Amino acid sequence: MALLLCFLVVCTIGALASASKAPNVVFIIADDLGWNDVSYHGSDLKSPVLDKLASEGIRMERHYTQPECSTTRASLLTSRYIVRTGLQADVILNGGGMALPLNETLMPEYLRELGYSNYLVGKWHQGANSWKETPVFRGFDYFYGYYGGQLHYFGHYHHKFGGHDFRRDYRDADGKFHQDILKKESGKYITKLLTDEAIRVVEEHDRSKPMFLYFSVPNVHSPNQSPKGYNEKYGKDTGVTEYDRKQLAGNLGGLEESVHNLTEALKASDMWDNTLVVFLSDNGGCPQDLMSYGGHSNYPLRSGKTTLFEGALRAPAFVFGPMVDHLRGQETHGLFHVSDWFPTLHSIITAKTGRKVKMVNPIDGVDNSDMILRNGPSRREEILHQLNLGNQAYRMGDYKIIVGNPGEYDGYKKTAGRPEIKIRYDEPEDFLGKLKCSLGLCGGFGDFIVDEDGANVRLYNVIEDPSETYNLASKMPEKVREMRARIEQFKGIVMPAQANDK
């Protein structure tokens, strides 16, 4: 009996210690993974690893990002709408002069205040025009990866802008900054290098501090490159015949291996019982018949990366780990924006430790911890997707409005066995309108309505019509006015747009 009581006391003390300890947080960020590129969304491609991990936690079926990679990462790291940073007009290019402003306080800086050790393994893409703009100067204790937006998977250079872009940044015990340029690794598969390094970080992390690991792999961003035999191995029995999508199958296979190996290392570690893992894609994919590369599919969502349609903004995401084990196999359809992540994590950390930080700048993210931990309702009611000179996009409840140019391309990337989706139009009443539609000239971007001020407007109920097939603007002028008035209220937070100088 005495032995049993002793055992219970020890277990209780251990449980209380675990309950009061800040959780380890791991972000696994895929690049350009489309809605219809994971098999749990009915894809022709196979993603058994992602399917299994998604089933071990809660799938976030309305997780919204920005239209492209650098803007999503900026919003994730700052908890702010992208218009506050001046990055709303373009993607950050290598050496182009754009960067996340230095007056922004980032997630790892706040986590450092909460006692975390912070590691970035993989893609940065927030500017590197000076040292101060790079990860180790912005809250990360250690960086192993690449500064730019994309790179050759084996040569480790940027295929458009040139230059080797694979490095290790860190500080020594005296706080002195060091950088190793990793040219000796040229020829090796970048995803395996990054994964092996992330596993090393997990194994060697100082257990006296909570860990924040930001793991951002290049897969499945173009160019679709993978080790020899991957296209055949991972494209087998998929029925995929298109060249680009076959290549994507191999690239997705590389992502699957990476995620599997890292999560197995996490599960094998003594940190797993107090670890929360977030998997997300930074934006929707690039459909191959809409752009010159990619092979991705966002079906049944409209269009893809860089646009303001759902195919760009709504991307795969899920959360797993012991903290959400009770939610296995569940889905949440609550509204969640990528800017919500730090307020949500901050709430979880505060609940476990009592520690909190004060935000330096006003934030737009909301605390959605109840949604993540209990599949509760979302606290978010709106999203400002974009507010730029040529285009605007805003979500209010079930409705989304797009004003101006929605992007460079349109359409639906259908895969085998999926029905065609077509834009729906009201029958024109005038002779010329009927003639135009009879000639097939009502398609594409022609579904806009010209508002009173001459602006092209699209209004969709994205809950009832997630494919954005029917523009409600002419049927709901009051809703259009209400949403455009709300957009006007945001103009006071918009910073002048940065631009790449080359």
Side-chain angles (χ1 to χ4, degrees):
M1 178 64 73
L3 182 62
L4 176 60
L5 287 173
C6 183
F7 175 76
L8 290 173
V9 169
V10 170
C11 286
T12 301
I13 292 172
L16 289 172
S18 177
S20 64
K21 190 177 180 182
N24 303 296
V25 177
V26 179
F27 275 87
I28 301 176
I29 305 176
D31 209 326
D32 292 359
L33 184 68
W35 187 262
N36 190 38
D37 292 337
V38 291
S39 44
Y40 69 76
H41 281 158
S43 176
D44 52 346
L45 301 179
K46 295 182 177 180
S47 56
V49 172
L50 298 182
D51 295 355
K52 180 177 183 295
L53 294 175
S55 73
E56 292 178 4
I58 181 167
R59 280 168 41 185
M60 304 177 69
E61 295 297 88
R62 285 192 169 82
H63 182 275
Y64 281 84
T65 66
Q66 291 301 117
E68 67 278 306
C69 30
S70 59
T71 51
T72 291
R73 286 166 170 76
S75 194
L76 169 64
L77 290 168
T78 63
S79 307
R80 283 151 61 87
Y81 288 141
I82 201 65
V83 296
R84 292 186 187 269
T85 67
L87 298 176
Q88 64 269 25
D90 206 349
V91 67
I92 295 174
L93 300 180
N94 287 25
M98 290 179 63
L100 185 60
L102 295 176
N103 62 355
E104 296 287 347
T105 304
L106 308 190
M107 184 192 300
E109 296 178 274
Y110 289 124
L111 289 172
R112 179 180 285 168
E113 286 186 50
L114 292 168
Y116 279 75
S117 292
N118 305 313
Y119 310 91
L120 196 166
V121 178
K123 174 173 171 175
W124 169 235
H125 204 193
Q126 293 300 290
N129 306 289
S130 69
W131 290 121
K132 290 182 179 180
E133 295 172 354
T134 60
V136 172
F137 290 83
R138 308 216 65 177
F140 288 99
D141 299 294
Y142 179 78
F143 170 73
Y144 179 94
Y146 53 107
Y147 287 161
Q150 64 186 109
L151 81 173
H152 191 283
Y153 282 64
F154 296 91
H156 310 160
Y157 57 85
H158 194 289
H159 77 288
K160 275 189 178 180
F161 303 102
H164 188 272
D165 190 12
F166 189 30
R167 61 201 81 221
R168 176 188 285 111
D169 296 354
Y170 59 99
R171 295 185 187 278
D172 60 26
D174 296 323
K176 185 179 179 181
F177 173 74
H178 297 270
Q179 181 177 88
D180 301 331
I181 303 297
L182 304 174
K183 287 191 175 182
K184 289 183 179 180
E185 304 292 355
S186 292
K188 298 178 182 177
Y189 183 40
I190 184 71
T191 309
K192 185 175 188 309
L193 292 171
L194 295 173
T195 307
D196 289 347
E197 185 67 11
I199 291 171
R200 187 192 67 78
V201 165
V202 169
E203 292 173 345
E204 297 182 10
H205 168 70
D206 178 359
R207 299 316 200 245
S208 68
K209 292 185 173 184
M211 176 185 72
F212 173 51
L213 173 58
Y214 181 104
F215 181 59
S216 182
V217 291
N219 310 63
V220 287
H221 197 295
S222 67
N224 270 325
Q225 297 170 328
S226 54
K228 186 177 180 180
Y230 272 43
N231 295 351
E232 294 75 19
K233 177 181 178 181
Y234 291 101
K236 185 179 180 182
D237 301 326
T238 61
V240 173
T241 58
E242 297 169 352
Y243 175 76
D244 283 350
R245 200 146 174 85
K246 280 185 175 180
Q247 286 191 311
L248 180 62
N251 203 346
L252 178 60
L255 174 64
E256 287 261 301
E257 288 185 4
S258 172
V259 174
H260 170 77
N261 292 339
L262 176 58
T263 53
E264 286 301 300
L266 285 165
K267 290 178 179 181
S269 76
D270 56 358
M271 298 189 293
W272 177 243
D273 286 344
N274 194 35
T275 296
L276 184 72
V277 185
V278 178
F279 175 91
L280 63 92
S281 178
D282 62 354
N283 46 251
C286 301
Q288 68 182 42
D289 54 356
L290 307 179
M291 293 185 74
S292 60
Y293 58 84
H296 309 90
S297 171
N298 302 306
Y299 184 96
L301 306 181
R302 186 171 177 178
S303 194
K305 179 179 177 177
T306 76
T307 75
L308 296 174
F309 291 116
E310 294 289 278
L313 302 171
R314 187 176 166 194
F318 55 87
V319 182
F320 66 100
M323 291 180 64
V324 293
D325 195 59
H326 57 289
L327 299 176
R328 277 177 173 258
Q330 296 187 31
E331 298 178 5
T332 174
H333 292 265
L335 196 59
F336 195 105
H337 185 250
V338 70
S339 64
D340 296 340
W341 275 114
F342 181 68
T344 297
L345 294 171
H346 185 225
S347 177
I348 294 171
I349 294 166
T350 300
K352 293 199 76 172
T353 68
R355 300 182 65 180
K356 60 176 64 176
V357 294
K358 183 178 180 181
M359 304 302 289
V360 175
N361 296 315
I363 65 170
D364 303 297
V366 301
D367 168 15
N368 261 324
S369 55
D370 188 56
M371 179 178 163
I372 299 301
L373 297 180
R374 287 171 283 277
N375 201 356
S378 172
R379 296 181 63 236
R380 176 172 284 282
E381 298 178 349
E382 64 177 357
I383 300 174
L384 180 65
H385 294 297
Q386 176 62 293
L387 179 46
N388 198 18
L389 290 175
N391 50 23
Q392 304 166 4
Y394 169 66
R395 173 77 176 267
M396 175 187 284
D398 293 354
Y399 293 91
K400 186 174 91 179
I401 190 169
I402 302 174
V403 181
N405 179 16
E408 296 179 0
Y409 59 95
D410 196 7
Y412 302 89
K413 172 58 184 173
K414 187 180 84 69
T415 54
R418 311 299 286 270
E420 293 281 354
I421 298 177
K422 293 184 178 181
I423 306 298
R424 296 180 290 147
Y425 300 92
D426 292 328
E427 182 68 25
E429 296 180 0
D430 62 298
F431 172 77
L432 288 177
K434 290 182 178 181
L435 177 62
K436 182 180 178 182
C437 285
S438 70
L439 296 173
L441 300 177
C442 289
F445 283 177
D447 65 325
F448 62 80
I449 302 298
V450 179
D451 207 2
E452 298 168 351
D453 61 352
N456 299 338
V457 177
R458 296 169 175 83
L459 177 70
Y460 304 105
N461 183 323
V462 291
I463 301 300
E464 296 180 358
D465 179 23
S467 300
E468 298 170 293
T469 63
Y470 187 61
N471 185 0
L472 297 166
S474 63
K475 298 286 193 298
M476 304 180 69
E478 288 299 322
K479 177 60 72 173
V480 169
R481 280 192 282 273
E482 177 189 9
M483 295 180 74
R484 293 196 68 184
R486 178 62 178 135
I487 291 173
E488 285 295 314
Q489 294 175 358
F490 282 111
K491 288 189 174 179
I493 70 171
V494 178
M495 293 296 292
Q498 298 183 41
N500 290 290
D501 55 24
K502 58 181 176 180

